[in-house]
Amino acid sequence: MTSSNDGKISELKKIIATSDKIVAFTGAGFSAESGISTFRGAGGLWSRYDPNIYANINIFMQDSSYYWNFFKDERYPVIKKAKPNDGHYVLVELEKLGKLYRVITQNIDGLHQVAGQSDVIELHGNTRKIYCLNCEKTYNLDETYKLLQKELPPKCSCGGNLKPGTILFGEPLPQAALEMARIAAQNCDLFLVLGSSLVVYPAASMPRIAKNNGATLVIINIDPTPMDEIADLVINNSASKILSTVIKRG
Ligand SMILES: [Zn+2]
């Protein structure tokens, strides 16, 4: 940790110590530290796979084999191997201490739950929860992988088509999750942004909602974000490193 961060880290310690209704808002940068490649930007998945073909709801409904090939070659091996990082575990610790109000995530890898987080608001769904469009039977990652080795696109035991539990391009965001996230942002005393560049809606709107309702806003992200100017504290560093410096796991 560089010395320029020392002052900010002690400030963050103080803020966390005096907060007891913390909302943690996690984005792609948080999962990147678990080896999950990001979607956007140079080298991101979408630079190799056009999301308007491989992850678009209209194409998916016509021919889901694009998505399932992408799942088989790119998503399954990465998600299967990924493990929660220190940051995920620190948030579980904050929950145990009774200081964490909600976790809101833009990530679809389900790593918060793997780490033991009980209550996660998922704005873009979850890759691990696959379901049948016909009978709504659910399948996990391994079950789906087995099915798609037999046939592609994979089929439910009822013959129906399977769909990932993620929100594809062209699909509306899950309204219930969005509403819960808004309520959490309105009612927290600390809104902690962790590894999100805050450029995609609704991520971009949440810090302002929190701030307008009296919360302290802290942003920990490798790069600057458009919300830095309204934040009480900005730390341009790895969120999991900073968190594990500030909070010791029990
Ligand atoms: Zn079915």
mmCIF file of all heavy atoms in Angstrom, residues 34-70:
data_model
loop_
_atom_site.group_PDB
_atom_site.id
_atom_site.type_symbol
_atom_site.label_atom_id
_atom_site.label_comp_id
_atom_site.label_asym_id
_atom_site.label_seq_id
_atom_site.Cartn_x
_atom_site.Cartn_y
_atom_site.Cartn_z
ATOM 1 N N SER A 34 -11.180 -12.224 -9.029
ATOM 2 C CA SER A 34 -11.375 -13.675 -8.902
ATOM 3 C C SER A 34 -11.108 -14.367 -10.234
ATOM 4 O O SER A 34 -11.463 -15.526 -10.424
ATOM 5 C CB SER A 34 -12.807 -13.975 -8.448
ATOM 6 O OG SER A 34 -12.969 -13.668 -7.085
ATOM 7 N N GLY A 35 -10.510 -13.639 -11.151
ATOM 8 C CA GLY A 35 -10.155 -14.233 -12.440
ATOM 9 C C GLY A 35 -11.274 -14.237 -13.465
ATOM 10 O O GLY A 35 -11.184 -14.890 -14.494
ATOM 11 N N ILE A 36 -12.346 -13.491 -13.172
ATOM 12 C CA ILE A 36 -13.444 -13.397 -14.141
ATOM 13 C C ILE A 36 -13.160 -12.228 -15.078
ATOM 14 O O ILE A 36 -13.128 -11.081 -14.638
ATOM 15 C CB ILE A 36 -14.799 -13.154 -13.425
ATOM 16 C CG1 ILE A 36 -14.983 -14.168 -12.301
ATOM 17 C CG2 ILE A 36 -15.941 -13.097 -14.430
ATOM 18 C CD1 ILE A 36 -15.996 -15.212 -12.492
ATOM 19 N N SER A 37 -12.948 -12.538 -16.330
ATOM 20 C CA SER A 37 -12.602 -11.470 -17.269
ATOM 21 C C SER A 37 -13.780 -10.516 -17.416
ATOM 22 O O SER A 37 -14.938 -10.913 -17.336
ATOM 23 C CB SER A 37 -12.229 -12.056 -18.627
ATOM 24 O OG SER A 37 -13.112 -13.108 -18.946
ATOM 25 N N THR A 38 -13.460 -9.250 -17.623
ATOM 26 C CA THR A 38 -14.516 -8.258 -17.753
ATOM 27 C C THR A 38 -15.125 -8.342 -19.151
ATOM 28 O O THR A 38 -14.540 -8.903 -20.068
ATOM 29 C CB THR A 38 -13.966 -6.835 -17.501
ATOM 30 O OG1 THR A 38 -12.853 -6.640 -18.360
ATOM 31 C CG2 THR A 38 -13.510 -6.684 -16.067
ATOM 32 N N PHE A 39 -16.315 -7.783 -19.279
ATOM 33 C CA PHE A 39 -17.022 -7.824 -20.555
ATOM 34 C C PHE A 39 -16.631 -6.664 -21.447
ATOM 35 O O PHE A 39 -16.425 -6.817 -22.636
ATOM 36 C CB PHE A 39 -18.540 -7.782 -20.309
ATOM 37 C CG PHE A 39 -19.068 -9.059 -19.717
ATOM 38 C CD1 PHE A 39 -19.211 -9.195 -18.353
ATOM 39 C CD2 PHE A 39 -19.413 -10.117 -20.538
ATOM 40 C CE1 PHE A 39 -19.700 -10.377 -17.803
ATOM 41 C CE2 PHE A 39 -19.901 -11.296 -19.992
ATOM 42 C CZ PHE A 39 -20.040 -11.430 -18.629
ATOM 43 N N ARG A 40 -16.562 -5.486 -20.836
ATOM 44 C CA ARG A 40 -16.335 -4.281 -21.618
ATOM 45 C C ARG A 40 -14.854 -3.923 -21.673
ATOM 46 O O ARG A 40 -14.061 -4.440 -20.920
ATOM 47 C CB ARG A 40 -17.105 -3.102 -21.003
ATOM 48 C CG ARG A 40 -18.591 -3.264 -21.163
ATOM 49 C CD ARG A 40 -19.364 -2.370 -20.206
ATOM 50 N NE ARG A 40 -20.690 -2.929 -19.993
ATOM 51 C CZ ARG A 40 -21.681 -2.837 -20.865
ATOM 52 N NH1 ARG A 40 -21.500 -2.189 -22.000
ATOM 53 N NH2 ARG A 40 -22.846 -3.386 -20.619
ATOM 54 N N GLY A 41 -14.526 -3.005 -22.583
ATOM 55 C CA GLY A 41 -13.175 -2.475 -22.656
ATOM 56 C C GLY A 41 -12.240 -3.364 -23.451
ATOM 57 O O GLY A 41 -12.618 -4.433 -23.927
ATOM 58 N N ALA A 42 -10.996 -2.901 -23.591
ATOM 59 C CA ALA A 42 -10.006 -3.629 -24.375
ATOM 60 C C ALA A 42 -9.740 -4.999 -23.744
ATOM 61 O O ALA A 42 -9.550 -5.099 -22.539
ATOM 62 C CB ALA A 42 -8.718 -2.823 -24.443
ATOM 63 N N GLY A 43 -9.747 -6.032 -24.533
ATOM 64 C CA GLY A 43 -9.489 -7.377 -24.014
ATOM 65 C C GLY A 43 -10.698 -8.001 -23.340
ATOM 66 O O GLY A 43 -10.666 -9.158 -22.949
ATOM 67 N N GLY A 44 -11.782 -7.234 -23.177
ATOM 68 C CA GLY A 44 -13.004 -7.768 -22.569
ATOM 69 C C GLY A 44 -13.669 -8.777 -23.493
ATOM 70 O O GLY A 44 -13.385 -8.826 -24.696
ATOM 71 N N LEU A 45 -14.549 -9.587 -22.884
ATOM 72 C CA LEU A 45 -15.224 -10.636 -23.665
ATOM 73 C C LEU A 45 -15.952 -10.079 -24.880
ATOM 74 O O LEU A 45 -15.974 -10.685 -25.944
ATOM 75 C CB LEU A 45 -16.235 -11.365 -22.774
ATOM 76 C CG LEU A 45 -15.726 -12.579 -22.003
ATOM 77 C CD1 LEU A 45 -16.843 -13.129 -21.130
ATOM 78 C CD2 LEU A 45 -15.204 -13.655 -22.956
ATOM 79 N N TRP A 46 -16.547 -8.899 -24.696
ATOM 80 C CA TRP A 46 -17.351 -8.352 -25.808
ATOM 81 C C TRP A 46 -16.491 -7.853 -26.960
ATOM 82 O O TRP A 46 -17.011 -7.516 -28.025
ATOM 83 C CB TRP A 46 -18.282 -7.250 -25.329
ATOM 84 C CG TRP A 46 -19.349 -7.643 -24.354
ATOM 85 C CD1 TRP A 46 -19.901 -6.832 -23.413
ATOM 86 C CD2 TRP A 46 -20.041 -8.906 -24.217
ATOM 87 N NE1 TRP A 46 -20.870 -7.510 -22.696
ATOM 88 C CE2 TRP A 46 -20.969 -8.780 -23.166
ATOM 89 C CE3 TRP A 46 -19.955 -10.133 -24.867
ATOM 90 C CZ2 TRP A 46 -21.810 -9.826 -22.757
ATOM 91 C CZ3 TRP A 46 -20.778 -11.183 -24.456
ATOM 92 C CH2 TRP A 46 -21.687 -11.023 -23.426
ATOM 93 N N SER A 47 -15.185 -7.754 -26.766
ATOM 94 C CA SER A 47 -14.343 -7.389 -27.910
ATOM 95 C C SER A 47 -14.090 -8.610 -28.791
ATOM 96 O O SER A 47 -13.711 -8.491 -29.946
ATOM 97 C CB SER A 47 -13.023 -6.758 -27.440
ATOM 98 O OG SER A 47 -12.220 -7.715 -26.778
ATOM 99 N N ARG A 48 -14.326 -9.797 -28.220
ATOM 100 C CA ARG A 48 -14.140 -11.033 -29.011
ATOM 101 C C ARG A 48 -15.472 -11.644 -29.442
ATOM 102 O O ARG A 48 -15.560 -12.327 -30.448
ATOM 103 C CB ARG A 48 -13.332 -12.045 -28.191
ATOM 104 C CG ARG A 48 -11.862 -11.649 -28.072
ATOM 105 C CD ARG A 48 -11.055 -12.691 -27.337
ATOM 106 N NE ARG A 48 -11.345 -12.719 -25.922
ATOM 107 C CZ ARG A 48 -11.645 -13.830 -25.239
ATOM 108 N NH1 ARG A 48 -11.702 -14.994 -25.853
ATOM 109 N NH2 ARG A 48 -11.878 -13.761 -23.946
ATOM 110 N N TYR A 49 -16.481 -11.429 -28.628
ATOM 111 C CA TYR A 49 -17.815 -11.966 -28.941
ATOM 112 C C TYR A 49 -18.780 -10.797 -29.032
ATOM 113 O O TYR A 49 -19.015 -10.123 -28.036
ATOM 114 C CB TYR A 49 -18.295 -12.914 -27.844
ATOM 115 C CG TYR A 49 -17.547 -14.213 -27.778
ATOM 116 C CD1 TYR A 49 -16.352 -14.302 -27.071
ATOM 117 C CD2 TYR A 49 -18.030 -15.357 -28.417
ATOM 118 C CE1 TYR A 49 -15.652 -15.498 -27.016
ATOM 119 C CE2 TYR A 49 -17.343 -16.557 -28.355
ATOM 120 C CZ TYR A 49 -16.152 -16.613 -27.647
ATOM 121 O OH TYR A 49 -15.469 -17.792 -27.583
ATOM 122 N N ASP A 50 -19.325 -10.555 -30.205
ATOM 123 C CA ASP A 50 -20.283 -9.470 -30.344
ATOM 124 C C ASP A 50 -21.527 -9.791 -29.499
ATOM 125 O O ASP A 50 -22.231 -10.762 -29.776
ATOM 126 C CB ASP A 50 -20.670 -9.329 -31.817
ATOM 127 C CG ASP A 50 -21.642 -8.178 -32.045
ATOM 128 O OD1 ASP A 50 -22.154 -7.622 -31.049
ATOM 129 O OD2 ASP A 50 -21.880 -7.853 -33.213
ATOM 130 N N PRO A 51 -21.763 -8.979 -28.443
ATOM 131 C CA PRO A 51 -22.895 -9.301 -27.557
ATOM 132 C C PRO A 51 -24.240 -9.253 -28.275
ATOM 133 O O PRO A 51 -25.198 -9.878 -27.831
ATOM 134 C CB PRO A 51 -22.812 -8.230 -26.467
ATOM 135 C CG PRO A 51 -22.016 -7.122 -27.063
ATOM 136 C CD PRO A 51 -21.064 -7.755 -28.028
ATOM 137 N N ASN A 52 -24.294 -8.505 -29.390
ATOM 138 C CA ASN A 52 -25.564 -8.454 -30.120
ATOM 139 C C ASN A 52 -25.840 -9.717 -30.926
ATOM 140 O O ASN A 52 -26.899 -9.863 -31.519
ATOM 141 C CB ASN A 52 -25.621 -7.216 -31.003
ATOM 142 C CG ASN A 52 -25.851 -5.981 -30.135
ATOM 143 O OD1 ASN A 52 -26.680 -6.008 -29.230
ATOM 144 N ND2 ASN A 52 -25.069 -4.942 -30.369
ATOM 145 N N ILE A 53 -24.868 -10.627 -30.926
ATOM 146 C CA ILE A 53 -25.101 -11.952 -31.514
ATOM 147 C C ILE A 53 -25.126 -13.007 -30.407
ATOM 148 O O ILE A 53 -26.051 -13.796 -30.304
ATOM 149 C CB ILE A 53 -23.992 -12.291 -32.538
ATOM 150 C CG1 ILE A 53 -24.056 -11.312 -33.720
ATOM 151 C CG2 ILE A 53 -24.143 -13.743 -33.030
ATOM 152 C CD1 ILE A 53 -22.878 -11.409 -34.663
ATOM 153 N N TYR A 54 -24.116 -12.959 -29.543
ATOM 154 C CA TYR A 54 -23.932 -14.048 -28.570
ATOM 155 C C TYR A 54 -24.772 -13.888 -27.301
ATOM 156 O O TYR A 54 -24.950 -14.842 -26.562
ATOM 157 C CB TYR A 54 -22.451 -14.177 -28.206
ATOM 158 C CG TYR A 54 -21.650 -14.734 -29.351
ATOM 159 C CD1 TYR A 54 -21.038 -13.907 -30.283
ATOM 160 C CD2 TYR A 54 -21.554 -16.117 -29.534
ATOM 161 C CE1 TYR A 54 -20.333 -14.426 -31.353
ATOM 162 C CE2 TYR A 54 -20.851 -16.653 -30.596
ATOM 163 C CZ TYR A 54 -20.243 -15.799 -31.504
ATOM 164 O OH TYR A 54 -19.559 -16.330 -32.558
ATOM 165 N N ALA A 55 -25.218 -12.675 -27.034
ATOM 166 C CA ALA A 55 -25.957 -12.469 -25.777
ATOM 167 C C ALA A 55 -27.139 -11.531 -25.978
ATOM 168 O O ALA A 55 -27.439 -10.714 -25.129
ATOM 169 C CB ALA A 55 -25.013 -11.926 -24.713
ATOM 170 N N ASN A 56 -27.787 -11.676 -27.111
ATOM 171 C CA ASN A 56 -28.942 -10.828 -27.407
ATOM 172 C C ASN A 56 -30.214 -11.653 -27.339
ATOM 173 O O ASN A 56 -30.286 -12.746 -27.893
ATOM 174 C CB ASN A 56 -28.750 -10.217 -28.807
ATOM 175 C CG ASN A 56 -29.936 -9.369 -29.226
ATOM 176 O OD1 ASN A 56 -31.035 -9.892 -29.459
ATOM 177 N ND2 ASN A 56 -29.733 -8.073 -29.319
ATOM 178 N N ILE A 57 -31.204 -11.143 -26.637
ATOM 179 C CA ILE A 57 -32.414 -11.930 -26.395
ATOM 180 C C ILE A 57 -33.158 -12.292 -27.691
ATOM 181 O O ILE A 57 -33.680 -13.409 -27.829
ATOM 182 C CB ILE A 57 -33.359 -11.220 -25.379
ATOM 183 C CG1 ILE A 57 -34.537 -12.125 -24.981
ATOM 184 C CG2 ILE A 57 -33.863 -9.882 -25.894
ATOM 185 C CD1 ILE A 57 -34.170 -13.374 -24.225
ATOM 186 N N ASN A 58 -33.168 -11.391 -28.667
ATOM 187 C CA ASN A 58 -33.911 -11.691 -29.912
ATOM 188 C C ASN A 58 -33.253 -12.809 -30.696
ATOM 189 O O ASN A 58 -33.922 -13.720 -31.187
ATOM 190 C CB ASN A 58 -34.034 -10.432 -30.770
ATOM 191 C CG ASN A 58 -34.830 -9.360 -30.052
ATOM 192 O OD1 ASN A 58 -35.857 -9.668 -29.434
ATOM 193 N ND2 ASN A 58 -34.345 -8.132 -30.074
ATOM 194 N N ILE A 59 -31.911 -12.738 -30.809
ATOM 195 C CA ILE A 59 -31.178 -13.821 -31.484
ATOM 196 C C ILE A 59 -31.330 -15.103 -30.680
ATOM 197 O O ILE A 59 -31.551 -16.173 -31.243
ATOM 198 C CB ILE A 59 -29.683 -13.455 -31.618
ATOM 199 C CG1 ILE A 59 -29.574 -12.144 -32.382
ATOM 200 C CG2 ILE A 59 -28.880 -14.609 -32.229
ATOM 201 C CD1 ILE A 59 -28.779 -12.111 -33.623
ATOM 202 N N PHE A 60 -31.235 -14.973 -29.354
ATOM 203 C CA PHE A 60 -31.329 -16.151 -28.486
ATOM 204 C C PHE A 60 -32.652 -16.884 -28.714
ATOM 205 O O PHE A 60 -32.690 -18.113 -28.791
ATOM 206 C CB PHE A 60 -31.201 -15.725 -27.012
ATOM 207 C CG PHE A 60 -31.237 -16.873 -26.043
ATOM 208 C CD1 PHE A 60 -30.070 -17.548 -25.691
ATOM 209 C CD2 PHE A 60 -32.440 -17.306 -25.497
ATOM 210 C CE1 PHE A 60 -30.098 -18.618 -24.812
ATOM 211 C CE2 PHE A 60 -32.481 -18.384 -24.612
ATOM 212 C CZ PHE A 60 -31.313 -19.038 -24.274
ATOM 213 N N MET A 61 -33.742 -16.146 -28.819
ATOM 214 C CA MET A 61 -35.049 -16.780 -28.984
ATOM 215 C C MET A 61 -35.190 -17.435 -30.366
ATOM 216 O O MET A 61 -35.945 -18.396 -30.530
ATOM 217 C CB MET A 61 -36.186 -15.764 -28.764
ATOM 218 C CG MET A 61 -36.242 -15.192 -27.344
ATOM 219 S SD MET A 61 -36.180 -16.432 -26.002
ATOM 220 C CE MET A 61 -37.895 -16.983 -25.992
ATOM 221 N N GLN A 62 -34.436 -16.932 -31.356
ATOM 222 C CA GLN A 62 -34.472 -17.563 -32.689
ATOM 223 C C GLN A 62 -33.543 -18.768 -32.745
ATOM 224 O O GLN A 62 -33.883 -19.808 -33.291
ATOM 225 C CB GLN A 62 -34.027 -16.567 -33.779
ATOM 226 C CG GLN A 62 -35.020 -15.470 -34.072
ATOM 227 C CD GLN A 62 -34.365 -14.299 -34.802
ATOM 228 O OE1 GLN A 62 -33.391 -14.479 -35.534
ATOM 229 N NE2 GLN A 62 -34.878 -13.100 -34.591
ATOM 230 N N ASP A 63 -32.331 -18.584 -32.214
ATOM 231 C CA ASP A 63 -31.325 -19.646 -32.275
ATOM 232 C C ASP A 63 -30.376 -19.485 -31.080
ATOM 233 O O ASP A 63 -29.463 -18.665 -31.115
ATOM 234 C CB ASP A 63 -30.549 -19.545 -33.596
ATOM 235 C CG ASP A 63 -29.514 -20.659 -33.719
ATOM 236 O OD1 ASP A 63 -29.402 -21.497 -32.784
ATOM 237 O OD2 ASP A 63 -28.815 -20.698 -34.746
ATOM 238 N N SER A 64 -30.618 -20.288 -30.045
ATOM 239 C CA SER A 64 -29.844 -20.095 -28.819
ATOM 240 C C SER A 64 -28.461 -20.750 -28.893
ATOM 241 O O SER A 64 -27.709 -20.678 -27.936
ATOM 242 C CB SER A 64 -30.620 -20.635 -27.613
ATOM 243 O OG SER A 64 -30.823 -22.030 -27.750
ATOM 244 N N SER A 65 -28.124 -21.397 -30.018
ATOM 245 C CA SER A 65 -26.834 -22.093 -30.070
ATOM 246 C C SER A 65 -25.649 -21.120 -30.010
ATOM 247 O O SER A 65 -24.580 -21.485 -29.532
ATOM 248 C CB SER A 65 -26.741 -23.005 -31.290
ATOM 249 O OG SER A 65 -26.939 -22.274 -32.458
ATOM 250 N N TYR A 66 -25.836 -19.865 -30.465
ATOM 251 C CA TYR A 66 -24.743 -18.887 -30.322
ATOM 252 C C TYR A 66 -24.405 -18.728 -28.840
ATOM 253 O O TYR A 66 -23.261 -18.810 -28.437
ATOM 254 C CB TYR A 66 -25.151 -17.513 -30.888
ATOM 255 C CG TYR A 66 -25.263 -17.478 -32.380
ATOM 256 C CD1 TYR A 66 -26.515 -17.542 -32.999
ATOM 257 C CD2 TYR A 66 -24.130 -17.368 -33.169
ATOM 258 C CE1 TYR A 66 -26.626 -17.504 -34.378
ATOM 259 C CE2 TYR A 66 -24.227 -17.330 -34.553
ATOM 260 C CZ TYR A 66 -25.477 -17.402 -35.152
ATOM 261 O OH TYR A 66 -25.585 -17.372 -36.496
ATOM 262 N N TYR A 67 -25.445 -18.453 -28.057
ATOM 263 C CA TYR A 67 -25.203 -18.252 -26.631
ATOM 264 C C TYR A 67 -24.595 -19.497 -25.998
ATOM 265 O O TYR A 67 -23.620 -19.412 -25.250
ATOM 266 C CB TYR A 67 -26.490 -17.868 -25.870
ATOM 267 C CG TYR A 67 -26.196 -17.802 -24.384
ATOM 268 C CD1 TYR A 67 -25.620 -16.666 -23.825
ATOM 269 C CD2 TYR A 67 -26.383 -18.920 -23.566
ATOM 270 C CE1 TYR A 67 -25.269 -16.620 -22.487
ATOM 271 C CE2 TYR A 67 -26.028 -18.890 -22.216
ATOM 272 C CZ TYR A 67 -25.473 -17.736 -21.684
ATOM 273 O OH TYR A 67 -25.101 -17.714 -20.365
ATOM 274 N N TRP A 68 -25.153 -20.670 -26.301
ATOM 275 C CA TRP A 68 -24.695 -21.879 -25.599
ATOM 276 C C TRP A 68 -23.280 -22.277 -26.005
ATOM 277 O O TRP A 68 -22.543 -22.849 -25.203
ATOM 278 C CB TRP A 68 -25.699 -23.023 -25.777
ATOM 279 C CG TRP A 68 -26.976 -22.746 -25.012
ATOM 280 C CD1 TRP A 68 -28.222 -22.552 -25.527
ATOM 281 C CD2 TRP A 68 -27.107 -22.596 -23.585
ATOM 282 N NE1 TRP A 68 -29.124 -22.289 -24.523
ATOM 283 C CE2 TRP A 68 -28.472 -22.308 -23.330
ATOM 284 C CE3 TRP A 68 -26.215 -22.662 -22.520
ATOM 285 C CZ2 TRP A 68 -28.958 -22.101 -22.025
ATOM 286 C CZ3 TRP A 68 -26.701 -22.456 -21.231
ATOM 287 C CH2 TRP A 68 -28.051 -22.181 -20.999
ATOM 288 N N ASN A 69 -22.888 -21.964 -27.230
ATOM 289 C CA ASN A 69 -21.483 -22.176 -27.617
ATOM 290 C C ASN A 69 -20.559 -21.267 -26.819
ATOM 291 O O ASN A 69 -19.506 -21.696 -26.332
ATOM 292 C CB ASN A 69 -21.291 -21.915 -29.117
ATOM 293 C CG ASN A 69 -21.485 -23.185 -29.925
ATOM 294 O OD1 ASN A 69 -20.953 -24.237 -29.580
ATOM 295 N ND2 ASN A 69 -22.261 -23.093 -30.990
ATOM 296 N N PHE A 70 -20.967 -20.016 -26.696
ATOM 297 C CA PHE A 70 -20.236 -19.029 -25.904
ATOM 298 C C PHE A 70 -20.147 -19.489 -24.442
ATOM 299 O O PHE A 70 -19.083 -19.454 -23.816
ATOM 300 C CB PHE A 70 -20.976 -17.689 -26.037
ATOM 301 C CG PHE A 70 -20.584 -16.628 -25.058
ATOM 302 C CD1 PHE A 70 -19.330 -16.025 -25.119
ATOM 303 C CD2 PHE A 70 -21.489 -16.186 -24.092
ATOM 304 C CE1 PHE A 70 -18.984 -15.033 -24.220
ATOM 305 C CE2 PHE A 70 -21.146 -15.186 -23.195
ATOM 306 C CZ PHE A 70 -19.894 -14.616 -23.257
#
